[in-house]
Amino acid sequence: MGGDVKSSAGIFAFHGKRESLSPSVERITWERIMNFLDFALTCERLERISGRIEMTQQLSDVLSRLDGDDLRHFVHFVTGKIFPDWSPFKLGIGPNLLYDAITLIVDATRADVIGEINRRGDVGLAVQSILEQKKVGKKSQKGSTIQTALFSRQLDIGSVYDDLERCARLEGRSSQSEKLSIIQNLFQNASPLEAKYLARLLMEDLRIGVGEGTMRDAIALAFSVDPTLVEHAYQALNDLGEVAVLAKRGREALADVHILPFHPVKMMLAQQGSIEQAVAENGAVAAEYKYDGSRFQFHKKGKISRIYSRKLEEVTTALPEVVEILNRATTHDVILDGEVIAIKEGKPLPFQTVLRRFRRKYDIEAMQKEVMMQPYVFDILYLDGTTLIDLPLRERRMHLESALTSCIAPQTVSADISTLEETYRRSLEDGHEGLMLKILSSPYTPGIRGKNWLKIKPGVDTMDLAVIGAEWGEGKRAHVFGSFLLACQDQGDLLAVGKVATGFSEEQLLEVYDILKDHVISESGKEVSLEPFLVFEVGYSEIQASPNYESGYALRFPRFIRMRDDKGISDIETLEGIRERFGRQSSQKTG
Ligand code: AMP
């Protein structure tokens, strides 16, 4: 792994107690790289810490001892990721494959393994306990630890990463069995404690409470750099591991970051607002239609063009005509941000039609004939080698207009409320979703949902939330899930905020069940806990303070609006956002 050799023995000796591993194995790698056991021990210590300041301190202590690839992998792993967000790699290992791998290495049936996971309600603890029991069982039979004897190599974070990257690269019919054998081998070489965190890592849910915010602060502390510089570099690079490596090199390296074609950047997000408030606070603002399609990011360098979905997955082959239209619109090297809608007989089609195109793998030509895809570009992040995200919107818009000959989303700049209301009315009349108001002096802030982009749409309040659990339905719905536990995010943790059981058609329940059925982590009575990945947009009448859910809030009359499979867990509502909405709602009531 990149040849990052540490100089002295026991750089992680501060962990004190080590699990009993074969001494010969320990000697081989301990002095050189971060063993996976050290990673697991670090996680174990962090898991016990509840205060953010102490967590930041402890993390920074570890970060400052790491280098190169080890530093990169540690930052990713400890925040529950394997690959950076821009990476095309997806691990593609669900709970089923994990159960199979564990079953293969212990004297237990698959049902025993699943039973233990259900009992514990946590994959990591269950796997740890299964391996511990196995160790004891073998010992009593043969008087020595079979598990230790099975070790053929000591795991380190670099080799674990390599194995997982190998998994992500596998394609085709035999890929599942090859993945299984890689994962089985990893567990065979893991001590129970390592297996606990390995299992959680494979589910990309480490449960130790290290969010991106804590990691940013820890990087700043470890390498004595300004946290705002860390944040800025993260926004541009979309890779905290890389940011840590630059921070280690020093302030200058960190300040000199550029976004790169084909490394997609997180999308800037909008929060709810009103025309009156936007004008009162800012004077003239830029108004654009809010198109109800799918977000895209288009990257072009020389003759190569690629297009990415809102979740930063590459969708170039699914949308050839959109790529062609955009290629025709510019001769420059660019990174563009926009929304693509589907049009039939001059009218926008529902958003689901566009999503279907994003997911399409076959019969793309036939689909192209059916509906016309129209991209609207509203921002430019990169032009001919120059990163533009720090420029104010009004300057980015000038670059956009100079670089593109077509496809630019029309914009009205005005401080006049009736002019902006007229634009809003026209947008709805033309079949679009509402209005976007943008602050002219604002930079492009990837991944940030702030006051610089405001969305205005009619109707109920809605929120995007992660589905983290479900309950089997009753009566004619007994074969599908009938209600769903939803969560918002807070510093990398998912916190429940309520359940939704209304607003679904029978077909939608079937479709949702089909998507979720292979992602059940554990089951208890009628309830299941789910691997979090699916996002629902839900409507609600009010937010209430509630002790019943971890978030401290609950939604009144929650209603399913639609699945947002264009959105990922990082796009869901934050606890802070809910607090703000709650505050606004309370002040509206009293005011
Ligand atoms: P929402 O998904 O409700 O949070 O609304 C924000 C989304 O509206 C963005 O992520 C875009 O996908 C979409 N959108 C549509 N038109 C625009 C526009 N003119 N500017 C920015 N975002 C837009």
Side-chain angles (χ1 to χ4, degrees):
M1 286 307 302
D4 296 300
V5 177
K6 306 283 178 320
S7 52
S8 63
I11 57 165
F12 298 104
F14 59 90
H15 296 312
K17 184 172 120 310
R18 295 175 56 80
E19 280 198 316
S20 57
L21 286 166
S22 147
S24 59
V25 172
E26 191 171 314
R27 230 179 304 125
I28 296 168
T29 53
W30 172 239
E31 299 173 13
R32 291 173 172 264
I33 42 187
M34 188 181 204
N35 290 332
F36 199 74
L37 180 58
D38 292 313
F39 171 73
L41 286 163
T42 305
C43 291
E44 189 83 334
R45 282 198 324 159
L46 292 171
E47 199 171 340
R48 289 198 207 107
I49 298 172
S50 54
R52 187 157 166 200
I53 294 176
E54 198 192 338
M55 173 99 77
T56 309
Q57 216 116 38
Q58 298 273 355
L59 266 175
S60 106
D61 196 27
V62 181
L63 291 173
S64 63
R65 295 157 192 244
L66 294 167
D67 262 320
D69 280 342
D70 268 14
L71 181 52
R72 257 184 215 108
H73 299 322
F74 176 77
V75 169
H76 293 149
F77 283 7
V78 88
T79 48
K81 289 181 181 170
I82 296 159
F83 309 110
D85 288 337
W86 61 263
S87 165
F89 292 136
K90 299 280 169 286
L91 187 61
I93 289 175
N96 283 323
L97 204 136
L98 177 75
Y99 304 153
D100 289 344
I102 300 297
T103 309
L104 281 170
I105 63 161
V106 293
D107 292 329
T109 63
R110 199 170 190 279
D112 294 337
V113 171
I114 295 175
E116 184 67 16
I117 291 171
N118 288 341
R119 249 190 313 285
R120 302 249 172 194
D122 173 75
V123 171
L125 289 175
V127 169
Q128 181 180 23
S129 127
I130 291 168
L131 291 200
E132 266 160 5
Q133 286 165 28
K134 173 197 164 190
K135 217 169 159 184
V136 172
K138 299 274 175 182
K139 233 181 193 164
S140 61
Q141 279 169 23
K142 304 197 176 171
S144 68
T145 309
I146 291 286
Q147 206 208 337
T148 306
L150 279 175
F151 280 180
S152 54
R153 60 181 174 131
Q154 166 95 47
L155 301 178
D156 58 71
I157 57 172
S159 64
V160 169
Y161 174 84
D162 287 347
D163 279 357
L164 299 182
E165 190 186 304
R166 226 158 23 99
C167 277
R169 283 180 190 279
L170 288 169
E171 278 174 14
R173 221 184 271 165
S174 61
S175 66
Q176 284 306 307
S177 63
E178 287 174 54
K179 278 183 189 178
L180 180 59
S181 110
I182 295 172
I183 300 306
Q184 180 192 348
N185 184 277
L186 277 172
F187 279 111
Q188 235 149 18
N189 287 292
S191 65
L193 184 70
E194 287 173 298
K196 170 182 175 185
Y197 291 101
L198 183 59
R200 288 186 183 171
L201 187 62
L202 294 179
M203 297 297 105
E204 299 191 65
D205 182 12
L206 218 55
R207 299 190 173 201
I208 57 173
V210 179
E212 284 173 356
T214 312
M215 183 48 86
R216 281 194 297 255
D217 292 348
I219 292 172
L221 187 65
F223 305 115
S224 309
V225 286
D226 186 347
T228 54
L229 252 178
V230 176
E231 166 65 24
H232 178 260
Y234 176 50
Q235 285 183 17
L237 296 172
N238 202 5
D239 182 345
L240 270 174
E242 193 59 33
V243 169
V245 170
L246 290 175
K248 176 140 200 167
R249 266 186 226 148
R251 194 193 169 282
E252 255 127 68
L254 193 62
D256 188 35
V257 292
H258 300 280
I259 55 176
L260 299 168
F262 315 125
H263 278 206
V265 178
K266 281 195 184 135
M267 312 270 180
M268 180 162 172
L269 303 168
Q271 74 177 37
Q272 279 174 342
S274 74
I275 295 178
E276 292 77 8
Q277 201 181 351
V279 169
E281 287 175 9
N282 304 282
V285 288
E288 295 160 9
Y289 285 2
K290 185 176 191 310
Y291 303 99
D292 194 12
S294 239
R295 190 85 175 261
F296 70 83
Q297 202 172 90
F298 176 74
H299 291 222
K300 174 173 175 292
K301 185 158 195 273
K303 290 198 164 31
I304 303 173
S305 298
R306 289 185 194 147
I307 192 161
Y308 301 91
S309 72
R310 184 189 173 113
K311 284 200 266 191
L312 311 185
E313 286 160 349
E314 198 191 330
V315 286
T316 311
T317 47
L319 301 168
E321 77 274 42
V322 179
V323 175
E324 209 179 298
I325 294 170
L326 292 167
N327 276 339
R328 272 204 303 271
T330 183
T331 53
H332 296 270
D333 292 350
V334 285
I335 298 180
L336 305 173
D337 183 9
E339 183 95 354
V340 58
I341 59 170
I343 296 179
K344 201 171 189 177
E345 287 152 17
K347 283 274 171 202
L349 290 170
F351 135 102
Q352 281 82 357
T353 321
V354 189
L355 263 197
R356 241 175 275 140
R357 277 299 312 275
F358 269 65
R359 282 195 232 120
R360 196 85 182 180
K361 294 212 168 75
Y362 314 102
D363 300 331
I364 287 164
E365 250 177 69
M367 288 290 284
Q368 280 182 50
K369 287 192 193 111
E370 250 172 63
V371 285
M372 201 186 104
M373 303 290 279
Q374 173 67 56
Y376 285 100
V377 178
F378 43 73
D379 222 313
I380 183 161
L381 283 56
Y382 170 98
L383 176 61
D384 296 328
T386 307
T387 297
L388 304 180
I389 59 174
D390 297 321
L391 296 180
L393 172 63
R394 63 163 78 76
E395 283 179 42
R396 297 201 306 278
R397 180 81 189 184
M398 276 164 20
H399 284 298
L400 180 63
E401 288 173 0
S402 76
L404 261 66
T405 53
S406 59
C407 303
I408 302 177
Q411 197 183 66
T412 308
V413 175
S414 177
D416 177 40
I417 291 179
S418 56
T419 306
L420 297 168
E421 277 173 348
E422 172 59 18
T423 315
Y424 183 27
R425 197 187 53 71
R426 256 190 296 117
S427 167
L428 296 177
E429 222 170 69
D430 290 352
H432 302 297
E433 201 189 0
L435 194 70
M436 293 291 302
L437 293 180
K438 299 179 179 179
I439 311 309
L440 290 160
S441 58
S442 63
Y444 189 96
T445 47
I448 304 289
R449 188 186 295 283
K451 277 186 151 191
N452 287 329
W453 282 16
L454 300 167
K455 56 184 177 187
I456 292 148
K457 47 185 184 180
V460 287
D461 280 338
T462 67
M463 210 185 268
D464 299 322
L465 297 166
V467 182
I468 58 166
E471 206 171 301
W472 288 98
E474 285 175 352
K476 65 182 167 77
R477 292 183 167 181
H479 59 296
V480 293
F481 299 136
S483 108
F484 301 87
L485 181 64
L486 304 169
C488 63
Q489 56 165 325
D490 182 39
Q491 292 294 325
D493 286 335
L494 292 173
L495 305 176
V497 67
K499 287 182 180 171
V500 64
T502 51
F504 299 93
S505 67
E506 301 304 318
E507 271 162 18
Q508 282 170 327
L509 281 178
L510 265 177
E511 194 185 352
V512 171
Y513 177 71
D514 237 31
I515 294 174
L516 292 175
K517 67 178 190 306
D518 290 332
H519 297 273
V520 172
I521 295 178
S522 63
E523 207 157 351
S524 160
K526 289 191 75 179
E527 291 176 5
V528 301
S529 75
L530 295 162
E531 217 187 323
F533 70 96
L534 187 64
V535 177
F536 280 178
E537 182 177 339
V538 288
Y540 61 94
S541 65
E542 205 182 352
I543 298 171
Q544 298 174 314
S546 163
N548 297 335
Y549 295 107
E550 292 155 319
S551 64
Y553 295 99
L555 301 181
R556 190 147 187 254
F557 300 129
R559 192 166 56 81
F560 173 79
I561 308 272
R562 55 190 178 180
M563 253 191 295
R564 295 299 307 242
D565 33 6
D566 58 326
K567 293 194 174 181
I569 296 299
S570 55
D571 297 317
I572 63 172
E573 189 59 76
T574 58
L575 182 60
E576 199 185 323
I578 294 182
R579 251 186 231 128
E580 258 175 43
R581 287 182 191 225
F582 182 70
R584 261 203 308 269
Q585 175 191 289
S586 309
S587 61
Q588 273 162 11
K589 269 192 195 165
T590 50

